[in-house]
Structures are given as structure tokens and as C-alpha cells.
Amino acid sequence: MKHFDIAVIPGDGIGKEVVPPSLNVLNTIAELHGGLKFSFTEFPWSCEYYLEHGEMMPESGLETLKNFNAIFLGAVGNPEMVPDHISLWGLLIKIRRAFEQTINIRPAKYFKGLRSPLVNPKDFDLLVVRENSEGEYSEVGGRIHSGQDETAIQNAVFTRKGTERAMRYAFDLAKQRKNHVTSATKSNGIVHSMPFWDEVFRDVQKDYSDIGTASYHIDALAAAFVTKPEIFDVIVASNLFGDILTDIGGAIMGSIGIAPAANLNVNGKYPSMFEPVHGSAPDIVGKNIANPIGQIWTAKMMLDHFGEAELGQRLIDVIEEVTEDQYKTPDIGGKSTTNVVADEICSRLLKSEALSK
Ligand code: NAD
Ligand code: IPM
Ligand code: MN
């Protein structure tokens, strides 16, 4: 029996609505498999927790999380109650950094049964490798001269180690895919870090002579994601560029509510964390209409991480089948609730039992 201990942080807003049905899906998967068991330990860390305790998680939080095989997170943020930079840096980003989750992978693909907002979408299937620990998201800087001359300085940090690590990860993934890596740069306007980024890309490229490459400025790349996403395979991007590109990736699939993500610890020292691309969606909270697919697809990425890629593929196939059969939340043009979609995924998984054994 393979046993995985998973820390569950539903977080805020729709995180609390999409996580529980996704755990049902994972339990169903375990049932299907027969030799797999998940234990879930839930933590209430969130903006509500912050209002009560003055911190997003207890001081011992990281120590507690360290012992799990993975972290399964919903979404963090309730900007009406707690400023975003406090809530996110107190929980999500804190975990990413402390647990050296330096790589964030985020796929987007043409999905059967979904209406892409693109007029004539081709069959795209891309994967963004987002540098997840430095770049534009840095704590270096500060504010001086409050009042009229107030000044804010935010320094981006690009290390050769971090940049190269993300690029090598992208090239290695491309080997298992369509052998192509696109670099997201902006070396025409950002005069220090981005020419450096290009230089490291050229250096890394030399070790992967079989992999085709391209380099796009991020503005043109964002446009190309909309006009011709089918030309991309793996895209490697800095922290902020990758963040923005992957919301576009979600949008061209049909909704950001579908897009999954994995924050990977690649040195084996700490657990990785699985959370969808979307946030807490305060505008739709409490209505049971949040699309659970992003969170469920994120569970598939966790299965892949645990070496259960076959089960993961079965799950994606079932998700596609269910959307094709019109079990859809309103964001993708349907009328189903969060739970109806997730329940349908569970029941079809169970029906597929004969196939998987
Ligand atoms: P958001 O992703 O929460 O919402 C953007 C839009 O997409 C909204 O209209 C929302 O209704 C819709 N949407 C998102 N997920 C959906 C789903 N599953 N089903 C249907 N529709 C969905 O982004 P935002 O509004 O910029 O941020 C809201 C809060 O979430 C903020 O506090 C923000 O900082 C936080 N946030 C957290 C994460 C995270 O925890 N990983 C990611 C992004 C934003
Ligand atoms: C994401 C989110 C986070 C990020 C925010 C909430 C800090 O947008 O995971 O995409 O920018 O990394
Ligand atoms: Mn984002």
C-alpha cells in the first residue's frame, strides 16, 4: 500500500469551496487504484485565521508542514479584510520560499468540450515553467520620505543559479514533449536583468542541442498566446512574466477556473505544493458556482508528482468527458454547481474502474 500524507490548506474564498470536492476526487482515485491511500490533515490558515490570531499561520506552521508528502492548497486572499501583500507573503509565498519551491509548472491546453474565447482555436498544448523564487518578486527595496517626496524602490533579483535552474528544468521537460523551449524576455526595455536572462538562456541551450528554441519579448509573447498558442511547447519565464502568461493560458482554455499549477521543490528537502492558478474569487464566493476543475487538475499534477501518471491521465480524460457532456459551471458557459461537476467526475471515475485495473 502506498500512503501519502497530505497537508490541506483550503485558504480563503472559493478555495474553501473547490478543495473539499477535490479531496473526494482524490479519495475516489485511491479507491480505484486499490493500493493507494491518502491521509488529509486540514489547516485553517487563511485571512480569517489572521484576523483572529494576527498571523496567517502559526510560527510552528512551516515546521508542521515539513513532514508532509505534499501540500494541497486552495487560494489565499481576502483583500477587503487583509491587504494582499500581508496575506500572500504570510502564507502562500512564505511556503514557496521556505520550502525552496523554485519551479512552478503551469500547463494550458485546448480542452475538448470547452469553449475557448479564441475564434478559431487550434489544438494547443503548452507548459509554462515559471521561476518561482526570485526575479521581480523580491523583498529587496523599501520606502523612504513619507509625504510628498515619498519614494518606493523594488529591486528585481536574478541569480545565475535560479535562472539557470528554471531554464534547465524547461529544457528537460521539453525532451519529454515536443522538443522546443521559448524564452520570455524583455531585453529591449529592461537593461540589466533581461540581457542577463538571454545570456543564461544561450549558455543553457548549448547543452541541449536537440531542442529547438525561440526567444520572444514578453509583450509579443502575450499577444502570441492569444493569436497562435499552438506554436508553443515549453515556455520559460521569470516569476512575474510567468504569472501573467499563465492567467492568459487559463483564459484561452476557456476560464482561469480550469488552470492548474505545481510549486515544485526540486532538491528533495521539502514538500512540493499544489494549488490552482486562480485566486479566491471574492466576486463569486458563496454561490457554489466556482469551477472545481482547476483544483482537480492540480490534484492530477500531484498524482504525477507521486509517480501515478497513469491515474492522472485517466483523471484528465474523465474531466474532458464530463465537460464535453455539458457538466459545466457558469464561467465556461454551463449551469452546473461546483459539487455537481466534481460528483460527476467521481462517479465516472468509478465507472471506469474496469479500464484502470
Ligand atoms: P481570481 O483568480 O481570484 O479571480 C479572477 C476572476 O476569475 C474573477 O472574476 C473570478 O470570479 C474568476 N475565477 C477565478 N477562479 C474561478 C473559478 N474556479 N471558477 C470560476 N471563476 C473563477 O483573481 P483576483 O480577483 O485578482 O484575486 C482575488 C484574490 O485572490 C486576491 O486576494 C488575490 O491576491 C488572490 N489570489 C490568490 C492566488 C493564490 O492563492 N494562488 C492566486 C491569484 C490571486
Ligand atoms: C499566482 C498568484 C500569486 C503570484 C499571488 C497571489 C501572489 O497570482 O500564484 O499566480 O503572483 O504568484
Ligand atoms: Mn497569478
Side-chain angles (χ1 to χ4, degrees):
M1 179 71 82
K2 280 192 231 167
H3 185 185
F4 296 105
D5 252 329
I6 298 169
V8 178
I9 308 175
D12 296 298
I14 62 162
K16 287 194 271 206
E17 299 172 22
V18 293
V19 165
S22 304
L23 299 184
N24 292 342
V25 171
L26 279 165
N27 279 329
T28 306
I29 293 269
E31 206 178 310
L32 255 182
H33 185 282
L36 197 60
K37 185 175 182 307
F38 298 113
S39 298
F40 301 118
T41 308
E42 201 168 309
F43 298 95
W45 306 335
S46 60
C47 289
E48 259 169 51
Y49 185 94
Y50 178 88
L51 291 182
E52 209 174 305
H53 299 89
E55 52 192 1
M56 290 296 293
M57 65 162 130
E59 230 175 271
S60 57
L62 291 170
E63 205 45 46
T64 306
L65 290 177
K66 218 166 86 181
N67 303 314
F68 287 86
N69 296 111
I71 303 161
F72 193 60
L73 186 140
V76 180
N78 186 341
E80 296 221 328
M81 277 162 45
V82 183
D84 271 348
H85 67 282
I86 306 262
S87 58
L88 272 312
W89 278 82
L91 189 55
L92 180 81
I93 298 183
K94 190 169 179 169
I95 299 170
R96 283 182 185 166
R97 304 238 157 164
F99 288 174
E100 299 176 29
Q101 294 163 351
T102 52
I103 303 289
N104 193 324
I105 51 174
R106 300 180 155 188
K109 70 182 195 99
Y110 180 72
F111 225 89
K112 273 185 236 149
L114 282 190
R115 194 180 54 196
S116 164
L118 302 180
V119 174
N120 190 14
K122 305 247 171 53
D123 195 3
F124 62 90
D125 181 356
L126 57 86
L127 181 64
V128 175
V129 174
R130 170 184 178 190
E131 200 296 318
N132 209 37
S133 64
E134 52 178 45
E136 305 84 349
Y137 288 51
S138 104
E139 290 154 281
V140 183
R143 284 160 71 152
I144 48 169
H145 306 315
S146 67
Q148 224 183 341
D149 295 325
E150 190 162 13
T151 304
I153 296 174
Q154 178 86 47
N155 289 313
V157 174
F158 286 80
T159 64
R160 183 169 280 272
K161 188 175 169 188
T163 307
E164 197 174 318
R165 181 171 47 212
M167 289 174 178
R168 286 195 184 279
Y169 201 88
F171 276 97
D172 287 337
L173 279 179
K175 276 191 196 164
Q176 304 155 31
R177 294 175 48 102
K178 290 173 278 175
N179 293 310
H180 195 273
V181 179
T182 302
S183 160
T185 184
K186 188 62 195 169
S187 47
N188 54 357
I190 300 178
V191 74
H192 298 302
S193 57
M194 284 292 131
F196 171 75
W197 174 274
D198 291 352
E199 216 174 283
V200 177
F201 188 71
R202 280 192 296 270
D203 285 348
V204 171
Q205 185 183 350
K206 289 183 193 139
D207 292 339
Y208 296 87
S209 52
D210 296 343
I211 310 276
T213 60
S215 180
Y216 276 62
H217 293 303
I218 186 65
D219 43 357
L221 182 54
F225 258 48
V226 175
T227 55
K228 46 182 179 181
E230 69 280 0
I231 71 165
F232 298 110
D233 179 18
V234 178
I235 298 100
V236 64
S238 65
N239 212 334
L240 179 64
F241 292 174
D243 176 47
I244 297 168
L245 279 179
T246 50
D247 262 38
I248 303 177
I252 58 173
M253 282 195 281
S255 167
I256 188 178
I258 302 156
N263 299 275
L264 299 176
N265 168 277
V266 291
N267 61 20
K269 288 190 192 159
Y270 303 99
S272 295
M273 175 163 65
F274 299 83
E275 42 129 11
V277 171
H278 69 74
S280 57
D283 54 335
I284 57 162
V285 77
K287 297 182 179 159
N288 196 21
I289 56 166
N291 197 329
I293 292 178
Q295 191 77 45
I296 296 171
W297 189 350
T298 296
K300 178 244 187 275
M301 294 183 81
M302 188 164 74
L303 288 170
D304 291 346
H305 180 70
F306 289 154
E308 296 294 341
E310 208 178 306
L311 275 175
Q313 188 53 46
R314 182 70 206 132
L315 176 53
I316 273 287
D317 292 345
V318 168
I319 294 173
E320 275 191 326
E321 215 179 277
V322 163
T323 51
E324 261 189 306
D325 288 345
Q326 304 304 314
Y327 289 90
K328 295 176 179 177
T329 47
D331 57 310
I332 47 175
K335 292 198 172 78
S336 302
T337 62
T338 307
N339 290 79
V340 162
V341 173
D343 289 350
E344 187 60 26
I345 291 171
C346 288
S347 69
R348 298 226 185 170
L349 276 169
L350 287 176
K351 278 189 213 142
S352 77
E353 190 160 12
L355 273 179
S356 73
K357 278 200 171 151

